[in-house]
Short mmCIF file of all heavy atoms in Angstrom, two decimals:
data_model
loop_
_atom_site.label_atom_id
_atom_site.label_comp_id
_atom_site.label_asym_id
_atom_site.label_seq_id
_atom_site.Cartn_x
_atom_site.Cartn_y
_atom_site.Cartn_z
N MET A 719 10.45 23.80 -5.91
CA MET A 719 9.87 22.84 -4.98
C MET A 719 10.03 21.43 -5.52
O MET A 719 9.71 21.16 -6.67
CB MET A 719 8.38 23.12 -4.77
CG MET A 719 7.73 22.20 -3.75
SD MET A 719 5.93 22.20 -3.86
CE MET A 719 5.69 21.23 -5.36
N LYS A 720 10.56 20.54 -4.71
CA LYS A 720 10.69 19.14 -5.08
C LYS A 720 9.59 18.36 -4.38
O LYS A 720 9.58 18.25 -3.16
CB LYS A 720 12.07 18.59 -4.68
CG LYS A 720 13.26 19.34 -5.27
CD LYS A 720 14.56 18.73 -4.81
CE LYS A 720 15.75 19.51 -5.32
NZ LYS A 720 15.87 20.83 -4.64
N LEU A 832 1.98 18.03 4.60
CA LEU A 832 3.13 18.93 4.69
C LEU A 832 3.99 18.94 3.43
O LEU A 832 4.86 19.80 3.29
CB LEU A 832 3.99 18.56 5.89
CG LEU A 832 3.27 18.61 7.25
CD1 LEU A 832 4.21 18.16 8.37
CD2 LEU A 832 2.72 20.00 7.53
N VAL A 833 3.76 18.01 2.50
CA VAL A 833 4.51 18.07 1.24
C VAL A 833 3.90 19.10 0.30
O VAL A 833 4.51 19.42 -0.73
CB VAL A 833 4.60 16.68 0.55
CG1 VAL A 833 5.23 15.66 1.47
CG2 VAL A 833 3.24 16.22 0.05
N PHE A 834 2.73 19.61 0.64
CA PHE A 834 2.18 20.76 -0.08
C PHE A 834 2.71 22.00 0.62
O PHE A 834 2.18 22.44 1.64
CB PHE A 834 0.64 20.69 -0.08
CG PHE A 834 0.11 19.43 -0.71
CD1 PHE A 834 -0.37 18.39 0.07
CD2 PHE A 834 0.13 19.27 -2.09
CE1 PHE A 834 -0.84 17.22 -0.50
CE2 PHE A 834 -0.34 18.10 -2.67
CZ PHE A 834 -0.82 17.07 -1.88
N THR A 835 3.78 22.56 0.09
CA THR A 835 4.61 23.48 0.85
C THR A 835 4.18 24.94 0.75
O THR A 835 4.66 25.76 1.53
CB THR A 835 6.08 23.37 0.41
OG1 THR A 835 6.17 23.63 -1.00
CG2 THR A 835 6.62 21.98 0.71
N THR A 836 3.30 25.28 -0.17
CA THR A 836 2.89 26.67 -0.31
C THR A 836 1.45 26.84 0.18
O THR A 836 0.65 25.89 0.18
CB THR A 836 2.97 27.13 -1.78
OG1 THR A 836 1.97 26.44 -2.55
CG2 THR A 836 4.34 26.85 -2.37
N GLN A 839 -1.03 25.83 -2.55
CA GLN A 839 -1.28 24.40 -2.65
C GLN A 839 -2.16 23.91 -1.50
O GLN A 839 -3.07 23.11 -1.70
CB GLN A 839 0.04 23.63 -2.65
CG GLN A 839 0.86 23.78 -3.90
CD GLN A 839 2.17 23.03 -3.79
OE1 GLN A 839 2.73 22.88 -2.71
NE2 GLN A 839 2.67 22.55 -4.92
N LEU A 869 13.89 22.20 15.09
CA LEU A 869 13.81 23.14 13.98
C LEU A 869 14.89 24.22 14.07
O LEU A 869 15.23 24.85 13.07
CB LEU A 869 12.43 23.80 13.94
CG LEU A 869 11.25 22.90 13.58
CD1 LEU A 869 9.95 23.66 13.67
CD2 LEU A 869 11.43 22.30 12.18
N ALA A 871 17.95 23.75 14.57
CA ALA A 871 19.18 23.26 13.94
C ALA A 871 19.06 23.42 12.43
O ALA A 871 18.14 22.87 11.82
CB ALA A 871 19.40 21.80 14.30
N PRO A 872 19.97 24.15 11.79
CA PRO A 872 19.85 24.35 10.35
C PRO A 872 20.01 23.07 9.54
O PRO A 872 19.42 22.93 8.47
CB PRO A 872 20.96 25.35 10.02
CG PRO A 872 21.93 25.25 11.15
CD PRO A 872 21.12 24.89 12.35
N ILE A 897 18.37 16.45 6.73
CA ILE A 897 17.36 17.51 6.69
C ILE A 897 18.06 18.86 6.75
O ILE A 897 18.88 19.11 7.65
CB ILE A 897 16.36 17.40 7.87
CG1 ILE A 897 15.73 16.00 7.91
CG2 ILE A 897 15.29 18.47 7.75
CD1 ILE A 897 14.86 15.75 9.13
N ARG A 898 17.71 19.72 5.80
CA ARG A 898 18.20 21.09 5.78
C ARG A 898 17.01 22.03 5.91
O ARG A 898 16.06 21.91 5.14
CB ARG A 898 19.00 21.37 4.50
CG ARG A 898 20.33 20.62 4.47
CD ARG A 898 21.05 20.71 3.15
NE ARG A 898 22.40 20.18 3.24
CZ ARG A 898 22.69 18.88 3.23
NH1 ARG A 898 21.73 18.00 3.11
NH2 ARG A 898 23.95 18.47 3.35
N ARG A 899 17.09 22.96 6.87
CA ARG A 899 15.93 23.77 7.22
C ARG A 899 16.13 25.22 6.85
O ARG A 899 17.22 25.77 6.99
CB ARG A 899 15.63 23.63 8.72
CG ARG A 899 15.40 22.20 9.15
CD ARG A 899 15.17 22.06 10.64
NE ARG A 899 14.99 20.67 11.01
CZ ARG A 899 15.99 19.84 11.33
NH1 ARG A 899 17.25 20.30 11.33
NH2 ARG A 899 15.74 18.58 11.64
N ASN A 900 15.04 25.83 6.39
CA ASN A 900 15.01 27.26 6.08
C ASN A 900 13.85 27.87 6.83
O ASN A 900 12.72 27.92 6.32
CB ASN A 900 14.86 27.46 4.57
CG ASN A 900 14.87 28.92 4.17
OD1 ASN A 900 14.77 29.81 5.02
ND2 ASN A 900 14.97 29.19 2.88
N PRO A 901 14.06 28.35 8.07
CA PRO A 901 12.95 28.88 8.87
C PRO A 901 12.23 30.05 8.21
O PRO A 901 11.02 30.20 8.36
CB PRO A 901 13.63 29.30 10.17
CG PRO A 901 14.87 28.47 10.25
CD PRO A 901 15.32 28.33 8.83
N ALA A 902 12.96 30.89 7.48
CA ALA A 902 12.35 32.06 6.85
C ALA A 902 11.29 31.64 5.83
O ALA A 902 10.25 32.29 5.69
CB ALA A 902 13.41 32.93 6.18
N ALA A 903 11.57 30.55 5.12
CA ALA A 903 10.61 30.03 4.14
C ALA A 903 9.66 29.02 4.75
O ALA A 903 8.76 28.52 4.08
CB ALA A 903 11.35 29.40 2.97
N GLN A 904 9.89 28.70 6.02
CA GLN A 904 9.13 27.66 6.72
C GLN A 904 9.16 26.37 5.90
O GLN A 904 8.13 25.75 5.64
CB GLN A 904 7.69 28.12 6.99
CG GLN A 904 7.05 27.38 8.17
CD GLN A 904 5.86 28.12 8.75
OE1 GLN A 904 5.90 29.35 8.90
NE2 GLN A 904 4.81 27.40 9.05
N GLN A 905 10.35 25.98 5.56
CA GLN A 905 10.53 24.84 4.67
C GLN A 905 11.75 24.03 5.09
O GLN A 905 12.72 24.58 5.59
CB GLN A 905 10.70 25.33 3.23
CG GLN A 905 10.81 24.22 2.19
CD GLN A 905 10.75 24.78 0.79
OE1 GLN A 905 9.77 25.39 0.38
NE2 GLN A 905 11.82 24.58 0.04
N GLN A 906 11.67 22.73 4.87
CA GLN A 906 12.83 21.87 5.08
C GLN A 906 12.98 20.94 3.88
O GLN A 906 12.00 20.42 3.36
CB GLN A 906 12.73 21.10 6.38
CG GLN A 906 11.43 20.41 6.66
CD GLN A 906 11.37 19.88 8.08
OE1 GLN A 906 12.28 20.04 8.88
NE2 GLN A 906 10.27 19.22 8.41
N THR A 907 14.21 20.78 3.44
CA THR A 907 14.52 19.87 2.35
C THR A 907 15.00 18.56 2.96
O THR A 907 15.98 18.54 3.71
CB THR A 907 15.59 20.47 1.42
OG1 THR A 907 15.09 21.67 0.84
CG2 THR A 907 15.93 19.48 0.31
N VAL A 908 14.30 17.49 2.64
CA VAL A 908 14.57 16.17 3.20
C VAL A 908 15.24 15.31 2.13
O VAL A 908 14.75 15.24 1.00
CB VAL A 908 13.27 15.51 3.69
CG1 VAL A 908 13.55 14.13 4.28
CG2 VAL A 908 12.55 16.40 4.70
N PHE A 928 13.15 15.80 -1.37
CA PHE A 928 11.87 16.50 -1.52
C PHE A 928 11.77 17.58 -0.45
O PHE A 928 12.54 17.61 0.52
CB PHE A 928 10.70 15.52 -1.42
CG PHE A 928 10.65 14.76 -0.11
CD1 PHE A 928 9.85 15.19 0.94
CD2 PHE A 928 11.40 13.60 0.06
CE1 PHE A 928 9.81 14.50 2.14
CE2 PHE A 928 11.37 12.90 1.27
CZ PHE A 928 10.57 13.36 2.31
N ASP A 929 10.80 18.46 -0.61
CA ASP A 929 10.58 19.55 0.32
C ASP A 929 9.34 19.31 1.16
O ASP A 929 8.35 18.70 0.70
CB ASP A 929 10.41 20.88 -0.43
CG ASP A 929 11.68 21.30 -1.15
OD1 ASP A 929 12.77 20.98 -0.63
OD2 ASP A 929 11.59 21.92 -2.22
N MET A 930 9.40 19.77 2.40
CA MET A 930 8.26 19.74 3.32
C MET A 930 8.18 21.09 4.01
O MET A 930 9.18 21.78 4.19
CB MET A 930 8.42 18.66 4.39
CG MET A 930 8.37 17.25 3.91
SD MET A 930 8.49 16.08 5.31
CE MET A 930 6.86 16.22 6.04
N THR A 931 6.98 21.44 4.43
CA THR A 931 6.81 22.60 5.29
C THR A 931 6.55 22.11 6.72
O THR A 931 6.56 20.92 6.98
CB THR A 931 5.66 23.49 4.79
OG1 THR A 931 5.65 24.71 5.54
CG2 THR A 931 4.31 22.80 4.92
N PHE A 932 6.33 23.03 7.63
CA PHE A 932 5.85 22.69 8.97
C PHE A 932 4.83 23.74 9.37
O PHE A 932 4.89 24.90 8.93
CB PHE A 932 6.98 22.56 9.99
CG PHE A 932 8.02 23.66 9.94
CD1 PHE A 932 7.87 24.81 10.69
CD2 PHE A 932 9.15 23.53 9.14
CE1 PHE A 932 8.82 25.81 10.66
CE2 PHE A 932 10.12 24.52 9.10
CZ PHE A 932 9.95 25.67 9.86
N ILE A 933 3.86 23.33 10.15
CA ILE A 933 2.70 24.15 10.47
C ILE A 933 2.51 24.17 11.98
O ILE A 933 2.55 23.11 12.63
CB ILE A 933 1.45 23.61 9.77
CG1 ILE A 933 1.60 23.69 8.24
CG2 ILE A 933 0.20 24.35 10.21
CD1 ILE A 933 0.47 23.06 7.46
#
Side-chain angles (χ1 to χ4, degrees):
M719 183 197 74
K720 302 180 184 70
L832 301 177
V833 303
F834 301 103
T835 58
T836 68
Q839 289 178 329
L869 292 176
I897 306 173
R898 291 172 170 79
R899 303 177 182 88
N900 181 349
Q904 204 160 318
Q905 184 171 299
Q906 48 190 1
T907 298
V908 180
F928 59 96
D929 294 328
M930 293 183 74
T931 189
F932 45 90
I933 297 175

